[in-house]
Amino acid sequence: MFNKILIANRGEIALRIIRACKELGIKTVAVYSEADSNSLHVRLADESVCIGAAPSRDSYLRMDNIISAADITGAEAIHPGFGFLSENHVFAQMVEEHGITFIGPKPEHVKIMGDKILAKDAMHALGVPLVPGSPGKVATFAEAKVVAPDIGYPMLIKAACGGGGKGMQIVHTEHQLERAVTVAQMEARANFGDSSIFIEKYLQNPRHIEIQILADQHGNCVHLGERDCSIQRRHQKIWEEAPSPVVTEEMREALGATCVNAMKGMGYRGVGTMEFLFEEGQFYFIEMNTRIQVEHPITEMVTGIDLIKEQIKVAAGQKLTFTQADIRMKGHAIECRINAEDPETFMPSPGTITFYHPPGGLGVRIDSHIYDGYKIPSHYDSLLGKLIVWAPTRADCLNKLSSALDEYVIDGVKTLIPLHKRLTLHPAIIKGKFDIKWLETKFLA
Ligand code: ADP
């Protein structure tokens, strides 16, 4: 096992990783930007190193500074968290070349899954069902016109290296196609530094369902069931549940087995999430995240497995101590993302927390880095933390979540707490009847 791990991240996920390390008896090194010197991750870690100025590109994205910080402090491994450098294969490679363990998959797998075209090819070859689409990259309008009849309108143009729900273009008719190809290529280059695009069938009313994977370096791989992340705004998840209200035991076993076989076929290691759209009883792979995800706690709550500790253990070369048959999903968990945003306009709401009271009680978990008097820096994303609630049934879980949200006080900035409260009371949520468009087209409309 490692003696010391450097955490190349900030906010609640940095705290989450520090806590897991403490329980494993591992020393921790926090890195921080000048804007984060008063952050809890800096205070809770055993050591800390300032890696640059406030903007992420000058600190949390500075590979050289982070690797130097690991060298100076003698950290044997780097945990990238999510966002920032977590899915950067160049960073993963650089870390390993310095004789430091990257707590994540092999750099080549980070690279394949970072390109949605390569990822879909690899998954197709391993028997995973895909959203119908172009056989690969689409370079020109002429090429798009050739593949369009097979795919059928409406279609979705996506950036191969896209992320964060950015840069997707819906195309309803052929006369929109030329412009959409041009715009998508420009946006892909501007946002992701690579203009490669591809085309998918635009599914009308799917749910977003993803499977959590965990693999060691000895050929063992398990799945930990699904999460339903259909409650989204601008393709960004806001509320997640495990299990999905629409996935049966048989569906879970079949899809889980498909994912495990694919991961074993690749020789994948670490944690990962295979994301699918689900429509009319069929699952269609869209992409894979080769890192821990924001919504991992709901899986922890229903399986009782600490995903970050497992991630660290398998990175250190340990074997999984359980098999698929040992994993049982119990009860229901929901996570609400508590963003510092106006709950009606979704405008960011930076500022200082003037009063903070988190809810508590059996089955109520808060993963957050904020505290009374905390000043939210404007340089990073708006996630203040996550409220995760577990109960034996979905109805109990919604009930408990509703009380927890009533009790949750964050003064000084606007947050999504009132939006989540309204969600818990909505008949569609209570019935579990929603898809990826529901929040925007029905609830917020
Ligand atoms: P990103 O990497 O930017 O998050 P994804 O491929 O994971 O992009 O897609 C994000 C979201 O966009 C999905 O959860 C879903 O809401 C929507 N989406 C993606 N592909 C399709 C599709 N083919 N049809 C309909 N919606 C889609």
Side-chain angles (χ1 to χ4, degrees), residues 161-299:
C161 300
K166 280 198 209 119
M168 292 184 229
Q169 297 280 326
I170 304 170
V171 191
H172 294 279
T173 60
E174 190 179 312
H175 84 261
Q176 297 174 326
L177 189 58
E178 183 163 18
R179 191 184 140 74
V181 168
T182 313
V183 172
Q185 284 174 329
M186 268 164 45
E187 285 193 3
R189 184 185 300 282
N191 285 308
F192 312 111
D194 181 333
S195 63
S196 305
I197 55 159
F198 65 106
I199 305 182
E200 270 178 5
K201 173 92 195 145
Y202 180 63
L203 301 183
Q204 297 288 324
N205 300 105
R207 294 177 82 114
H208 174 119
I209 291 175
E210 56 187 37
I211 298 281
Q212 177 69 54
I213 288 296
L214 170 64
D216 67 18
Q217 301 185 48
H218 306 275
N220 304 302
C221 179
V222 294
H223 72 86
L224 291 100
E226 80 283 2
R227 294 184 285 260
D228 192 320
C229 311
S230 303
I231 304 294
Q232 303 182 349
R233 182 178 168 270
R234 299 201 172 158
H235 306 302
Q236 293 269 49
K237 301 159 189 168
I238 286 187
W239 156 304
E240 300 101 347
E241 304 194 22
S244 165
V246 298
V247 171
T248 63
E249 186 65 41
E250 294 72 46
M251 284 153 74
R252 177 175 308 119
E253 269 176 32
L255 185 64
T258 301
C259 292
V260 166
N261 284 338
M263 292 300 102
K264 283 188 176 167
M266 281 183 87
Y268 189 83
R269 69 174 198 214
V271 299
T273 300
M274 296 177 68
E275 297 192 334
F276 294 86
L277 295 179
F278 175 68
E279 194 173 65
E280 288 168 12
Q282 300 295 318
F283 289 98
Y284 306 95
F285 173 83
I286 46 171
E287 68 157 347
M288 178 166 187
N289 289 146
T290 52
R291 53 170 166 83
I292 197 73
Q293 282 187 301
V294 177
E295 60 271 25
H296 77 275
I298 51 174
T299 300

Side-chain angles (χ1 to χ4, degrees), residues 366-406:
I366 304 264
D367 279 18
S368 172
H369 58 291
I370 65 171
Y371 53 86
D372 239 347
Y374 176 71
K375 188 168 181 299
I376 303 164
S378 54
H379 308 276
Y380 314 110
D381 67 23
S382 60
L383 185 71
L384 295 182
K386 294 135 29 176
L387 167 62
I388 306 114
V389 167
W390 180 92
T393 66
R394 187 169 184 273
D396 292 340
C397 188
L398 281 170
N399 196 27
K400 193 187 279 277
L401 179 57
S402 180
S403 318
L405 287 162
D406 281 341

Side-chain angles (χ1 to χ4, degrees), residues 304-332:
I305 292 170
D306 185 319
L307 283 168
I308 307 260
K309 283 210 254 178
E310 292 303 325
Q311 187 186 19
I312 294 170
K313 288 198 259 180
V314 298
Q318 294 188 6
K319 279 190 182 158
L320 290 181
T321 55
F322 45 84
T323 64
Q324 193 65 53
D326 299 320
I327 299 170
R328 293 260 174 274
M329 290 178 78
K330 190 164 163 250
H332 197 90

Side-chain angles (χ1 to χ4, degrees), residues 8 106 155 178 228 266 287 335 344 353-355 362 395:
K106 292 175 199 153
M155 306 190 302
E178 183 163 18
D228 192 320
M266 281 183 87
E287 68 157 347
E335 171 181 280
E344 268 153 38
I353 314 278
T354 53
F355 180 76
L362 178 65

Side-chain angles (χ1 to χ4, degrees), residues 87-130:
E87 288 179 301
N88 186 315
H89 66 90
V90 176
F91 179 63
Q93 183 73 43
M94 212 190 254
V95 170
E96 306 249 293
E97 279 167 7
H98 279 77
I100 301 168
T101 303
F102 177 73
I103 302 183
K106 292 175 199 153
E108 76 212 60
H109 290 158
V110 178
K111 183 173 183 184
I112 291 171
M113 294 304 178
D115 180 326
K116 291 179 204 219
I117 297 173
L118 296 180
K120 286 180 80 169
D121 277 352
M123 291 300 95
H124 178 65
L126 290 162
V128 178
L130 308 181

